[in-house]
Amino acid sequence: VNMMAPPIILLKDGTENKQGKQQIVSNINACQVVADSVRTTLGPRGMDKLIVDSKGQTTISNDGATILKLLDIVFPAAVVMCDIAKSQDAEVGDGTTSVVVLAAELLKRSKPFIEDGVHPQLLIRAYSKAAQEAVRYLDSLAVKIEGEAALREMLVKCAMTTLSSKLVSAEREHFANMCVDAVNVLDERLPLNMIGMKRVAGGSLLESRLVRGIAFQKAFSYAGFEMQPKTYARPLIALLNIELELKAEKENAEMRIASVEEFQKIVDAEWNILYDKLKKIHESGAKIVLSKLPIGDVATQWFADRDMFCAGRIPQEDLDRTMAACGGSILTTVSQIEKSVLGECEKFYEQQVGSERYNFFEGCKKAQACTILLRGGAEQFIAETERSLHDAIMIVRRAKKNDSIVAGGGAIDMELSKHLRDKAKDIAGKEQFFWQAFARSFEIIPQQLCYNAGIDATDVLNKLRHKHAKGEKWAGIDIHVEDVRDNMLGCIWEPSLVKKNALISAVEATCLVLSIDQTIKAPRTPSGGTLPGFPQ
């Protein structure tokens, strides 16, 4: 063979090409790094992360998905970790940190096998089988909750478990009840966008409240507004998409006017058009007029004289929510306005919240919408509370749809681990090792909970293994007493769906990363839009 044969160049100069075993190992290491960035946020003693993005906006968060969204991950394989967190967030709402930590641990346990030359497909096959077994066992363990009162209690406890790892954990009972009430207001489809969240800076956290109905910030208003009444009982509400203002005649039409009278007619015509609209609205019996477009001062004054309330320039989503709650429809013309297209509610009032005035609509006719007013000191703090409540609300929705729960705090993870370990003993050949690695991976959740709380992890894990081996299947960690106990009795509950989804996503991600054995990255070329000589 001619040793001097020139190398065959297939790819453009500068293309990065990694392949083989090294590639898989480096992908695994990258995923570890991603997991390390959210690892410490797990659990009631978890820390928060402060992220400053490229625009200089600061976010303080404890939510795995939020953190990973804000990290600009460029390593191709590690983006997978980001995606499973997002999918967990979209599907269940909570457990985003757990899913990333679990996937990273699975990969870490696979690394020695890969380095010893095991074919990745063998691992993938074993993991898929083990995952199916784990899901089957998880379903058999889940506890169903029966009865109305028990259900509500269960929902509150699930919400409290979620909130215990967030910034608002001190007030978690207050907020858990608020979330459950909010979800109970909705109809059976449980649409999320019918729960509005409004942040008002100032005040204490405990001043946050749930409005069974709609609340939004008072819109911009003109003179004459002060004379309008601020409370109504059983008013009819007109929702418009019309501008009620005088328009100055500056249309590019040329008007030739022979006398002052003609000009006066033109001006009058304009006023009459406006007054006609206002009369129609008044005659329909509406007491409250809300419009997406501005309502001018003439109209405001006219409404005030007739004891009607109006507000213009209301954001579309608030208008939509009002429509959903109070009935009626959004009108673009007033020519056919009548009672059937108006909404109504029990009571309308305006009230000062913090430094803003808010309009409240309560006791709505079709009421399946509600608003949570969040109070608190710093802007970032309120934003984080909003994210935490979002998680809790998602959990309550999920738990309400399928009412089975498992014990959190690492209890379910240890039980799955034990079950898979027992299962592995019946498997011949080297697949047994893969099952054992898979089973060991679940221990990362209780272990991480201990690390974050500064408890001796080895000690606690030994106790947990011992208890689970004796058959106490709900033994888990209770961080608050820093010891092992029965978490089913301790009311640390989460919907079984959270765990199930986390498990499936984590295994999928692991298999995906293990099955990539080559990355080809095209060089960034000047023709790609960046000019030569400029930093890429």
Side-chain angles (χ1 to χ4, degrees), residues 131-144 404-407 412 415-416 418-420 423 473-474 488 496-497 499-500 503:
Q132 279 171 344
E133 178 56 38
V135 169
R136 192 196 61 70
Y137 188 57
L138 180 70
D139 286 342
S140 71
L141 278 176
V143 180
K144 268 255 187 267
S404 59
I405 54 164
V406 293
I412 182 72
E415 185 56 31
L416 286 174
K418 165 192 162 276
H419 175 73
L420 289 171
K423 256 319 209 213
K473 57 183 182 191
W474 296 126
M488 207 52 165
S496 56
L497 202 78
K499 276 293 167 218
K500 187 167 157 184
L503 201 165

Side-chain angles (χ1 to χ4, degrees), residues 100-118:
V100 176
V101 170
L102 187 59
E105 183 66 14
L106 273 168
L107 286 168
K108 188 168 148 196
R109 300 250 175 231
S110 320
K111 198 161 108 180
F113 295 130
I114 299 287
E115 282 167 344
D116 293 345
V118 173

Side-chain angles (χ1 to χ4, degrees), residues 107 183 326 450:
L107 286 168
V183 175
C326 304
C450 291

